[in-house]
């Protein structure tokens, strides 16, 4: 059965690659996922562009395990040399937009869910969510599904991790900051030039260290990623706009990061865009992690963001593919990574289900 499901999963991935599905435009790929369930007579629900299903013998008295990955993609990198919307197999690699991030993970989890769908007397219920809008952190993705699907006790989020166990993931807070000064004509002396004032502010951001360091995620990483000021050569602007990207470890809440920066940063103002993308983790002694370690998997902390950020339950990021290929030109996943990924997902769940 696993061999047949694997063949079908790879065929589904090829179809997904050849069907554009930018964030919030996933209508057609949602239809392809619906067809998978219809062909196998598995009841499902579509909520906007999210497609979800539960195992046949769902029992509300049991804890529930979420299997989740996304079917939206970013727009293709401009350096592509292959057609990003054509599934091309060369030298064991399946090329195409979304093949690695996160199509390989998605079809592997769909196959795994299907494998366990009719099994009675599971220790956990299973909920599969093929979600939308992950790449844009949009309002109609997994975050919108948590009030729709059954309560989740633990989750596996499918993202490319080389099938190693990402037991923690950094959160994200993006800030809009301002550095103010005195506007003036460029020909006149001005000791309060907002652009010059920014030099000291940028140095502060570059050197600042948060006190708490995580054993799995390391330090909080803060980066000034955008700067904008001025409209004409002969006018000194009143202010400089900065965008600050803060990757939050599991030692801080997003609210604590906001409090620290609003108290300590030398900016005239610094305002968070959102507090909802939190760090996430799962205890190392959780049965799911212990089962993965028993299968020879290693643990690590992930610096990249995923739909884990929307979850409050323990969650494990795990999937075939390599994160370094995500959003790259000529994105690909190895066929054998999907084959091995499905096999490992099944063996992992066999240990706890």
């Amino acid at each position: 059965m696993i061999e047949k499901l694997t063949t079908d999963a790879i065929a589904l991935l090829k179809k997904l690659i050849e069907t554009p599905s930018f964030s919030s435009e996933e209508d057609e790929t949602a239809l392809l996922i619906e067809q998978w369930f219809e062909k196998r007579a598995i009841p499902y629900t579509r909520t906007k562009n999210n497609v979800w299903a539960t195992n046949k013998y769902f029992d509300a008295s049991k804890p529930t395990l979420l299997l989740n990955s996304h079917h939206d993609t970013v727009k293709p990198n401009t350096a592509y040399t292959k057609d990003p919307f054509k599934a091309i197999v060369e030298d064991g690699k399946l090329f195409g937009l979304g093949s690695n991030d996160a199509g390989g993970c998605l079809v592997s989890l769909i196959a795994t869910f299907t494998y366990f769908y009719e099994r009675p007397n599971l220790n956990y219920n299973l909920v599969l969510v093929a979600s939308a809008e992950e790449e844009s952190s949009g309002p109609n993705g997994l975050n919108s599904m948590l009030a729709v699907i059954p309560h989740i006790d633990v989750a596996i989020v499918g993202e490319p991790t080389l099938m190693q166990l990402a037991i923690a993931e950094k959160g994200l807070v993006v800030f809009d900051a301002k550095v103010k000064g005195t506007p003036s004509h460029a020909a006149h002396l001005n000791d309060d030039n907002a652009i010059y004032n920014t030099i000291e502010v940028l140095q502060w951001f570059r050197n600042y260290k948060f006190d708490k360091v995580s054993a799995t995620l390391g330090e909080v990483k803060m980066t000034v990623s955008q700067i904008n000021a001025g409209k004409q050569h002969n006018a000194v602007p009143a202010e400089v706009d900065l965008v600050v990207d803060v990757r939050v470890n599991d030692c801080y809440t997003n609210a604590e990061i906001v409090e620290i920066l609003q108290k300590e940063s030398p900016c005239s103002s610094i305002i968070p865009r959102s507090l909802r993308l939190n760090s996430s983790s799962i205890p190392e002694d959780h049965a799911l992690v212990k089962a993965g370690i028993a299968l020879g998997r290693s643990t690590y902390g992930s610096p990249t963001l995923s739909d884990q950020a929307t979850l409050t339950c323990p969650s494990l990021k795990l999937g075939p593919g390599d994160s370094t290929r995500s959003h790259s030109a000529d994105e690909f996943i190895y066929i054998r990574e999907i084959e091995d990924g499905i096999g490992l997902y099944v063996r992992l769940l066999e240990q706890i289900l």
Side-chain angles (χ1 to χ4, degrees):
M1 183 179 179
I2 291 178
E3 185 176 345
K4 177 65 164 62
L5 283 171
T6 301
T7 299
D8 291 348
I10 293 168
L12 174 59
L13 178 53
K14 291 176 180 178
K15 292 178 182 178
L16 292 172
I17 289 169
E18 296 186 346
T19 307
S21 56
F22 304 136
S23 290
S24 76
E25 301 175 17
E26 312 94 342
D27 307 65
E28 297 300 317
T29 48
L31 285 173
L32 292 173
I33 296 164
E34 289 182 74
Q35 290 167 14
W36 172 283
F37 292 120
E38 288 170 355
K39 182 178 179 180
R40 292 159 181 82
I42 297 176
Y44 68 90
T45 303
R46 178 168 171 176
T47 306
K48 295 190 176 177
N49 288 332
N50 304 281
V51 182
W52 63 281
T54 62
N55 61 301
K56 185 173 183 177
Y57 298 102
F58 187 96
D59 180 347
S61 68
K62 295 180 179 180
T64 298
L65 169 63
L66 170 67
L67 304 179
N68 164 252
S69 192
H70 63 95
H71 59 104
D72 64 315
T73 71
V74 295
K75 293 188 176 180
N77 188 301
T78 56
Y80 261 86
T81 64
K82 301 178 184 296
D83 184 345
F85 300 110
K86 186 174 182 181
I88 300 169
V89 178
E90 292 179 358
D91 300 323
K93 301 174 182 178
L94 174 55
F95 289 89
L97 182 65
S99 57
N100 181 77
D101 183 15
C105 301
L106 175 65
V107 300
S108 296
L109 283 172
I110 289 173
T112 301
F113 171 84
T114 304
Y115 179 82
F116 287 103
Y117 169 72
E118 292 194 3
R119 185 174 297 191
N121 303 316
L122 298 177
N123 294 321
Y124 284 81
N125 298 308
L126 292 178
V127 176
L128 183 284
V129 178
S131 55
E133 297 192 8
E134 190 272 348
E135 295 290 3
S136 62
S137 298
N140 298 312
L142 181 63
N143 53 318
S144 70
M145 296 301 298
L146 300 179
V148 176
I149 63 177
H151 172 77
I152 301 302
D153 296 282
V154 64
I156 295 176
V157 176
E159 290 284 338
T161 69
L162 292 170
M163 292 306 289
Q164 303 303 333
L165 310 171
I167 60 172
E169 175 187 274
K170 284 186 174 179
L172 170 65
V173 186
V174 178
F175 291 88
D176 291 299
K178 291 185 182 295
V179 181
K180 293 189 176 181
T182 302
S184 69
H185 194 294
H188 299 153
L189 181 65
N190 185 346
D191 291 330
D192 189 32
N193 184 317
I195 294 176
Y196 292 162
N197 293 346
T198 304
I199 296 172
E200 183 178 338
V201 173
L202 293 175
Q203 196 66 38
W204 185 89
F205 280 113
R206 182 177 182 178
N207 294 334
Y208 187 85
K209 298 289 185 183
F210 291 87
D211 294 333
K212 299 176 185 177
V213 179
S214 167
T216 51
L217 292 172
E219 297 180 341
V220 173
K221 187 177 186 299
M222 183 161 60
T223 306
V224 177
S225 56
Q226 292 177 255
I227 184 168
N228 185 58
K231 294 183 179 179
Q232 56 193 49
H233 75 89
N234 59 354
V236 175
E239 60 189 27
V240 176
D241 294 317
L242 305 177
V243 175
V244 185
D245 177 296
V246 183
R247 303 289 166 153
V248 185
N249 67 23
D250 52 351
C251 298
Y252 295 92
T253 66
N254 288 354
E256 288 172 331
I257 295 294
V258 172
E259 182 180 0
I260 290 168
L261 291 185
Q262 290 186 336
K263 180 180 178 181
E264 298 188 23
S265 80
C267 298
S268 303
S269 68
I270 182 164
I271 300 171
R273 294 181 180 178
S274 169
L275 299 184
R276 68 185 180 86
L277 300 175
N278 296 286
S279 62
S280 55
S281 63
I282 187 170
E284 290 191 61
D285 61 355
H286 192 283
L288 203 55
V289 178
K290 292 167 72 173
I293 292 172
L295 291 170
R297 303 293 95 185
S298 60
T299 63
Y300 74 103
S302 172
T304 57
L305 199 68
S306 75
D307 269 337
Q308 275 187 289
T310 69
L311 300 173
T312 56
C313 66
S315 56
L316 174 68
K317 184 158 69 176
L318 173 69
D322 186 339
S323 179
T324 62
R325 301 183 208 133
S326 300
H327 305 184
S328 64
D330 297 335
E331 179 184 348
F332 71 89
I333 189 168
Y334 286 100
I335 296 290
R336 60 172 166 73
E337 288 178 324
I338 300 170
E339 295 168 345
D340 293 344
I342 294 171
L344 194 135
Y345 277 143
V346 168
R347 292 197 302 277
L348 180 69
L349 294 188
E350 290 278 14
Q351 305 240 2
I352 69 164
L353 294 180

